Amino acid sequence: MSDSIVGIDVSKETLDANCARGQRKQAKIFANSPDGWKLVLSWLKAMGSKQAHVCMEATGRHSLGVALALYDAGHVVSVVNPTQIRDFARTKLGRNKTDKVDAALIRDYAALFNPAPWTPPSPAMRRLCELHTVRAGIIGSRTEWKNRLGSGLGDSTATGLAAMTIEHFTHQLETIDRAIGETIDQDATLRGRRDLLLSVNGVGETLAALLLVEMPGPEVLRRSGEMVAYAGLNPSHHRSGSSIDRPTRISKIGNATLRSSLYMPALSAMRFNPAVAALVARLKEAGRLKPKQIVVAAMRKLLVICFGVLKIGKPFDPAIAMPA
């Protein structure tokens, strides 16, 4: 039996934790890094907790490190669908939206619903997540230097060094992509899931590998609608009586990495994927959506197809994805 309940709101840089042990409650913020994970374990020990039930939202690779550290230390870890926490928050009628408040909500959710324990991913999946974390850093650094080079550097030495730096990051990116491909090829489960994704027109090696890392498993997200909401591609309506009727937009409350990675593949799928192309043709014929909204609809359709092939374990079949 767990002797304390902990909610952790995970972000890329920080961990907002809220622990309840008996009548004692305490909140604390840690860095989302190996040193920060060690401090979380020390904090729980100082709270007198030998086995805590720690609950957090699924946030792709950002939640993996702390979840593994807690699991390896003997604590019970639950990783839940973020939509469930948001729905729970609505029942609490909370007026504030902060990381500290979110951590307390996650803790209360865990105490009330006792979510199922989380099963750690395989060593190959862990390595894939780590490689993608490094890859994201390389892409960010290369983009930064490209922007700097394009900002009007006039000195020849400065521009030369900037170009060399960009070339260095480009070589690093090629190395990390090879390592990602080898990691997937050497693991039967990852290889099979990657091949299913590659059967979808519009999905290439880069997107397939990223989807393997960023898409939660079926134990967290059970339906395609949940996956769409997780990526922040679900429509967000704002209507109030007869005075307010704002244009419908996507929520953007979700995994931004997953959402942004679908843009260029969706443009390709609009041309070469029969199911996506058919959707785009219907939307254009209806004439109600702007071009950008149609691209978002294509992104959503492509994500649903990817979720479907992984869920049923069969390659993409346009006849199934096409409307009746």
Side-chain angles (χ1 to χ4, degrees), residues 6 8 10 15 17 37-44 50-56 63-78 118:
V6 181
I8 298 182
V10 179
L15 304 168
W37 308 335
K38 292 177 183 178
L39 291 175
V40 172
L41 298 177
S42 299
W43 173 60
L44 291 177
K50 294 182 178 179
Q51 187 189 62
H53 185 176
V54 185
C55 185
M56 63 190 75
S63 59
L64 180 60
V66 65
L68 287 171
L70 289 161
Y71 180 89
D72 292 341
H75 297 289
V76 178
V77 179
S78 294
W118 168 75

Side-chain angles (χ1 to χ4, degrees), residues 192-193 196 199 306-316:
R193 289 167 62 84
L196 287 172
S199 71
C306 291
F307 176 80
V309 298
L310 291 180
K311 183 175 181 179
I312 66 175
K314 295 181 179 180
F316 173 58

Side-chain angles (χ1 to χ4, degrees), residues 250-301:
I250 59 172
S251 71
K252 292 189 178 180
I253 302 174
N255 190 314
T257 301
L258 180 58
R259 186 168 61 250
S260 62
S261 69
L262 289 166
Y263 180 77
M264 293 303 295
L267 294 180
S268 174
M270 289 170 67
R271 297 179 58 194
F272 302 111
N273 187 305
V276 178
L279 170 67
V280 170
R282 292 198 306 275
L283 294 177
K284 287 182 176 179
E285 185 178 357
R288 291 193 299 268
L289 298 182
K290 298 177 181 178
K292 188 175 181 180
Q293 292 174 311
I294 292 177
V295 174
V296 171
M299 293 166 61
R300 188 160 52 238
K301 181 68 173 181

Side-chain angles (χ1 to χ4, degrees), residues 16-169:
D16 280 77
N18 194 300
C19 177
R21 187 169 188 271
Q23 298 301 312
R24 184 183 179 191
K25 296 180 180 179
Q26 189 177 98
K28 210 160 185 180
I29 301 175
F30 304 91
N32 192 359
S33 66
D35 288 339
W37 308 335
K38 292 177 183 178
L39 291 175
V40 172
L41 298 177
S42 299
W43 173 60
L44 291 177
K45 186 175 181 181
M47 287 283 290
S49 178
K50 294 182 178 179
Q51 187 189 62
H53 185 176
V54 185
C55 185
M56 63 190 75
E57 294 176 317
T59 56
R61 63 180 184 275
H62 297 315
S63 59
L64 180 60
V66 65
L68 287 171
L70 289 161
Y71 180 89
D72 292 341
H75 297 289
V76 178
V77 179
S78 294
V79 179
V80 301
N81 183 347
T83 303
Q84 293 175 289
I85 302 298
R86 289 198 292 272
D87 290 344
F88 179 65
R90 294 190 187 100
T91 69
K92 304 278 283 186
L93 300 178
R95 294 179 179 271
N96 299 314
K97 176 72 173 72
T98 66
D99 294 339
K100 184 177 180 180
V101 170
D102 286 348
L105 278 169
I106 296 170
R107 183 207 65 207
D108 290 345
Y109 176 89
L112 183 61
F113 294 102
N114 190 29
W118 168 75
T119 301
S122 67
M125 187 63 185
R126 298 187 195 186
R127 182 169 189 262
L128 186 61
C129 289
E130 290 179 2
L131 290 172
H132 260 277
T133 298
V134 174
R135 188 182 193 277
I138 293 172
I139 290 178
S141 297
R142 188 176 68 165
T143 301
E144 178 184 348
W145 277 96
K146 282 184 175 180
N147 292 339
R148 189 172 289 133
L149 183 62
S151 64
L153 292 177
D155 182 77
S156 59
T157 302
T159 56
L161 289 172
M164 290 173 61
T165 303
I166 293 170
E167 185 179 1
H168 167 70
F169 283 124

Side-chain angles (χ1 to χ4, degrees), residues 223-245:
R223 295 181 293 275
S224 60
E226 294 178 355
M227 178 57 70
V228 169
Y230 176 78
L233 288 170
N234 53 313
S236 178
H237 303 283
H238 191 121
R239 292 188 176 92
S240 179
S242 60
S243 59
I244 297 177
D245 190 0

